[in-house]
Amino acid sequence: MKSHTEYLWFNTEKRTQILNITPQLEAALARSKVQEGLMLVNPMHITASVYVNDAEGGLYADILAKLEELAPYGKAYKHHQTGEDNGDAHLKRQLLGQQVTLAITQGRLDFGPWEQVHYAEFDGQRKKRVLVKIIGE
Amino acid sequence: MKSHTEYLWFNTEKRTQILNITPQLEAALARSKVQEGLMLVNPMHITASVYVNDAEGGLYADILAKLEELAPYGKAYKHHQTGEDNGDAHLKRQLLGQQVTLAITQGRLDFGPWEQVHYAEFDGQRKKRVLVKIIGE
Amino acid sequence: MKSHTEYLWFNTEKRTQILNITPQLEAALARSKVQEGLMLVNPMHITASVYVNDAEGGLYADILAKLEELAPYGKAYKHHQTGEDNGDAHLKRQLLGQQVTLAITQGRLDFGPWEQVHYAEFDGQRKKRVLVKIIGE
C-alpha cells in the first residue's frame, strides 16, 4: 500500500468565497503515483467546507445566498460569547458538507462530466490549510 | 491491497425520487471479494445524493418535503442564467449529503440494524451513474 | 495492509446531545498500530451524526438550535405513521452530516488546531453504537 500526504494553503480575498481546487488535487495525485485508491480532501479549519459540485459562478452565488439565508452572519450566536464573530461560518460548513472522499482509477480522479472539487471559505482573509490524504497502490 | 470499481446506472421515473440501492452495493461487494476495507459510494452527477438512513416510505416523503422547503424548485436561481432549471437540485444534494463511505468487515457491509444506502435523485428521468470504489484486502 | 474495527457505545442523558469522542478515537488508533491510513467514523444508528467542528459549548448550543429551527421536534412527519416520533432526528442527522473520514499520518489523527470529532445524538437515552474502521499500514 502506498500513502501520500499534502497540505494545500488558501487565503481568500473575501470573508466568504468559493475556489475550484480540482487542479491542485490532480497535481497532488500525479505526485503520489497512486493508480487505484482513495483521496480524502478535508479542510483543517472548521469554518470551511470541501464539496463537489458544478464549477459555475451562478451556482456559487446560489450556494452562498442559501447558506446566508439558513445561517446568517451577525446573529447573536452563543459561540460569540467566547469573543468570536464566526458562529455562522461553523454552521454553514456543516450544512454544505465538511469533506469529500474521491476515487482514484487508473491514476485519475474518477469523476463524472461535471464533478469539480471546491473549497468554500466562510471566515477567510487569512491562510488556511486543506489536507489531501491518498492511499492506494 | 485489492481494489474494485463499478458504475451503477439509475433512471428514475420522477424528477425527484429516492431509491434503496443497498442490494446493488452488496452484489458489488461480493464481486470484489474484499473481506476488510472501505467502499466509497459517490453519485457522478451533481444533482443527486447518496445517503444512509431508514428505508421507510414516510421518511422518504419527509426528506423530499424538507428539501423542497429549504431549496424550492422553480425559484430564480442565478444558475438558471446558464439555461438550466435545476438550481434547486444542486442545493438539495448538498443539504442532504453528497456521498457515503461504508465499512467492510468479514466480507459484509458493516451496518447497524436500520442502515440502508439510498440514491436520492433531484433532476431525474434520464440515465445517471453512481461510482462504487472498494479498497481493502 | 492493516485493518482494525471497533464499536464504541454511547448512551446520552438527554434526547438531543453532543459528545466529543476524539479521545476514544485516539485510543482506537493507538490499538490499531496503523501509521498511515484512513479512519472512518460512522454512527450505526440513523438518528445521529458524527461531525468535526470546534469543541465549544456555545457552538454545541448553536448547532442544536439551528437544527431544531430547520427540522423541529413534534411536527406531523409522515414517518410517524409507523408509530415513531423521531422524524426530526432522521432529518437533523442529514443536515448536520452523517459521518466523517479522518486521515492518519505518522500514527496520529492529522488534524488542524481546532478539529475535534463529535457524536451528535438526536434520539438518545438508550445505547447506540459508532463504528470505527481503520485501514492503512
Side-chain angles (χ1 to χ4, degrees), chain C residues 12-68:
Chain C
T12 59
E13 292 173 22
K14 300 179 187 172
R15 193 177 61 85
T16 298
Q17 192 170 336
I18 293 175
L19 304 175
N20 183 347
I21 64 170
T22 314
Q24 289 94 321
L25 301 178
E26 288 172 338
L29 175 54
R31 284 187 287 270
S32 78
K33 305 202 189 316
V34 166
Q35 294 294 306
E36 297 290 327
L38 296 176
M39 175 193 286
L40 171 67
V41 189
N42 182 60
M44 302 184 79
H45 299 261
I46 55 199
T47 51
S49 293
V50 170
Y51 75 95
V52 171
N53 214 314
D54 199 358
E56 196 276 306
L59 181 62
Y60 295 171
D62 292 330
I63 287 172
L64 295 178
K66 179 56 62 183
L67 293 172
E68 187 61 27

Side-chain angles (χ1 to χ4, degrees), chain B residues 88-107:
Chain B
D88 69 303
H90 289 277
L91 296 173
K92 283 167 171 145
R93 157 193 165 83
Q94 295 302 139
L95 293 172
L96 185 57
Q98 304 165 75
Q99 60 174 205
V100 294
T101 301
L102 310 173
I104 301 162
T105 304
Q106 297 183 347

Side-chain angles (χ1 to χ4, degrees), chain A residues 1-3 5 7 38 40 42-46 70-72 76-80 82 87 90-91 93-95 98-99 101 129 131 133 135, chain C residues 1 36-38 50-54 56 58-59 61-63 66 70 95-96 99-105 110-112 114-115 135-137:
Chain A
M1 202 197 85
K2 282 181 194 163
S3 70
T5 310
Y7 306 93
L38 296 175
L40 171 68
N42 181 61
M44 302 183 80
H45 298 260
I46 55 198
L70 295 177
Y77 296 108
K78 288 205 167 60
H79 183 53
H80 295 178
T82 64
H90 289 277
L91 296 173
R93 157 194 165 84
Q94 295 303 137
L95 294 172
Q98 304 164 77
Q99 60 175 205
T101 302
R129 273 189 306 167
L131 169 72
K133 188 86 191 187
I135 68 170
Chain C
M1 202 197 85
E36 297 290 327
L38 296 176
V50 170
Y51 75 95
V52 171
N53 214 314
D54 199 358
E56 196 276 306
L59 181 62
D62 292 330
I63 287 172
K66 179 56 62 183
L70 295 177
L95 294 171
L96 184 57
Q99 60 175 205
V100 294
T101 301
L102 310 174
I104 302 162
T105 303
D110 196 342
F111 277 152
W114 302 102
E115 285 187 284
I135 68 169
E137 65 183 358

Side-chain angles (χ1 to χ4, degrees), chain A residues 1 36-38 50-54 56 58-59 61-63 66-67 69-70 95-106 110-115 135-137, chain B residues 1-5 7 38-40 42-47 69-72 76-80 82 87 89-91 93-96 98-99 101 129 131 133 135:
Chain A
M1 202 197 85
E36 298 290 328
L38 296 175
V50 170
Y51 76 95
V52 171
N53 214 314
D54 199 358
E56 196 276 305
L59 182 62
D62 292 330
I63 288 172
K66 179 55 64 183
L67 293 173
E69 174 195 322
L70 295 177
L95 294 172
L96 184 57
Q98 304 164 77
Q99 60 175 205
V100 295
T101 302
L102 310 174
I104 302 161
T105 304
Q106 297 182 348
D110 197 342
F111 277 151
W114 302 102
E115 285 187 284
I135 68 170
E137 63 183 0
Chain B
M1 202 197 84
K2 283 181 192 162
S3 70
H4 182 81
T5 310
Y7 306 93
L38 297 176
M39 175 193 285
L40 171 68
N42 181 62
M44 302 184 79
H45 299 261
I46 55 199
T47 51
E69 174 195 323
L70 295 178
Y77 296 108
K78 289 205 166 61
H79 183 53
H80 295 178
T82 63
H90 289 277
L91 296 173
R93 157 193 165 83
Q94 295 302 139
L95 293 172
L96 185 57
Q98 304 165 75
Q99 60 174 205
T101 301
R129 272 189 306 169
L131 168 72
K133 187 85 192 187
I135 67 168

Side-chain angles (χ1 to χ4, degrees), chain C residues 71-128:
Chain C
Y73 176 72
K75 294 274 176 181
Y77 295 108
K78 289 204 166 60
H79 183 54
H80 296 177
Q81 296 174 8
T82 64
E84 295 282 355
D85 73 341
N86 60 5
D88 69 302
H90 290 277
L91 297 172
K92 284 169 172 145
R93 157 193 165 83
Q94 296 301 139
L95 294 171
L96 184 57
Q98 304 165 74
Q99 60 175 205
V100 294
T101 301
L102 310 174
I104 302 162
T105 303
Q106 298 182 347
R108 306 286 298 263
L109 293 176
D110 196 342
F111 277 152
W114 302 102
E115 285 187 284
Q116 294 280 294
V117 190
H118 296 87
Y119 176 73
E121 173 64 76
F122 303 115
D123 185 26
Q125 299 172 318
R126 42 189 165 149
K127 286 177 73 183
K128 302 279 192 87

